């Protein structure tokens, strides 16, 4: 195996590992919200609990004075990615509060590659070819089947939950593009520490405004720590490292393991099964993602 192939394989492994950590965190988020933790408090804990570990690693591995040497435009890009990260996670948790773990996670992750491709066309970075149109059409049909409720009657809060989920998908696309365009001279751990500091600050403002609601049992506190240390610090560090070595669309396709893990855990542990047409919609979304990657 040559060096390029080995690097690509490691990058895919990093994306898949990050997606698996996030998928477990998605189910834990539903469990914590059912226990009384508010979505924005959960977002604050997700970033704040993992931040010390990132900064410890950053101080050990990154050159001194790196931030001061960066141009203001690059600093702004890193901080903007952190703000988008906070809003993405908060919207995702708000969707989970209305719909459970499976559907918001699938919508948030699987729609992002379509949005990335659409943004590339609108900004003139890519042409709207037949192959791209086919991929987008498959994705739109998949989304349509996925968002249809499993029950015959529209559940309470379904439309609101979908609105939060699609907002999370748009913000996740911005996070992917922001990580893909991080300055090459900035190590992944440094970029993650700076962007997550901004994410923590944004989440703190939103959580205080919405009203803080923390867990009341030791078990749920442990779940909260997992979402911060493993799902966030470790997960986003793996993701940020891999995003520099893959295309933006390939990166979000790799994280499709997240909704798979979330859906399996929701069905196994919470009895939250999806209807056959929703599984078909998920499969069409996955097919569209693979198509979009292969055409690149």
């Amino acid at each position: 195996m040559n060096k390029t192939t080995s690097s690509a394989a490691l990058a895919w492994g990093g994306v898949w590992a990050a997606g698996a950590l996030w998928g477990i965190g998605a189910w834990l988020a539903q469990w914590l919200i059912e226990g009384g933790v508010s979505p924005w408090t959960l977002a604050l804990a997700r970033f704040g609990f993992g931040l010390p570990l990132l900064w410890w690693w950053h101080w050990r591995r990154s050159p001194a004075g790196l931030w001061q040497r960066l141009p203001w435009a690059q600093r702004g890009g890193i901080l903007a990615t952190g703000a988008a990260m906070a809003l993405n996670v908060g919207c995702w948790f708000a969707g989970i509060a209305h719909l459970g773990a499976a559907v918001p996670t699938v919508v948030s992750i699987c729609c992002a590659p379509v949005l990335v491709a659409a943004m590339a066309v609108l900004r003139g970075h890519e042409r709207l070819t037949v192959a791209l149109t086919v991929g987008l059409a498959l994705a739109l049909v998949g989304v349509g089947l996925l968002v249809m409720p499993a029950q015959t009657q529209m559940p309470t809060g379904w439309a609101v939950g979908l609105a939060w989920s699609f907002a999370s998908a748009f913000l996740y696309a911005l996070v992917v593009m922001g990580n893909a365009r991080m300055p090459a001279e900035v190590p992944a751990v440094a970029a993650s520490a700076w962007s997550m500091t901004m994410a923590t600050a944004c989440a703190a403002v939103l959580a205080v405004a919405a009203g803080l609601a923390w867990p009341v049992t030791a078990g749920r506190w442990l779940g909260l720590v997992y979402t911060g240390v493993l799902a966030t610090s470790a997960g986003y560090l793996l993701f940020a490292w891999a995003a520099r070595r893959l295309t933006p669309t390939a990166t979000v396709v790799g994280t499709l393991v997240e909704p798979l893990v979330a859906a399996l855990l929701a069905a196994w542990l919470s009895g939250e099964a999806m209807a056959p047409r929703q599984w078909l919609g998920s499969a069409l979304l996955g097919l569209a993602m693979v198509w979009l990657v292969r055409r690149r």
Side-chain angles (χ1 to χ4, degrees), residues 31-168:
W31 180 64
L32 289 166
I33 290 170
E34 289 173 350
V37 181
S38 70
W40 293 104
T41 301
L42 183 55
L44 172 59
R46 182 179 175 111
F47 295 118
F49 282 12
L51 194 59
L53 177 61
L54 274 178
W55 273 103
W56 173 79
W57 201 350
H58 164 57
W59 285 325
R60 287 178 59 89
R61 302 295 297 273
S62 301
L66 181 60
W67 178 259
Q68 288 76 12
R69 294 196 297 270
L70 288 179
W72 281 105
Q74 293 183 352
R75 297 187 207 180
I78 292 172
L79 296 179
T81 300
M85 191 187 304
L87 294 172
N88 158 46
V89 169
C91 291
W92 175 40
F93 288 159
I96 288 175
H98 288 280
L99 301 177
V103 172
T105 305
V106 174
V107 170
S108 178
I109 298 300
C110 294
C111 288
V114 182
L115 294 171
V116 169
M119 289 176 187
V121 171
L122 291 174
R123 298 180 66 180
H125 299 314
E126 193 166 350
R127 292 185 300 109
L128 187 62
T129 62
V130 173
L132 179 58
T133 304
V134 170
L136 294 176
L138 281 172
L140 289 174
V141 173
V143 169
L145 291 172
L146 174 65
V147 300
M148 293 173 61
Q151 302 91 338
T152 305
Q153 186 176 2
M154 189 72 72
T156 303
W158 187 264
V160 175
L162 286 181
W164 283 116
S165 302
F166 281 116
S168 176

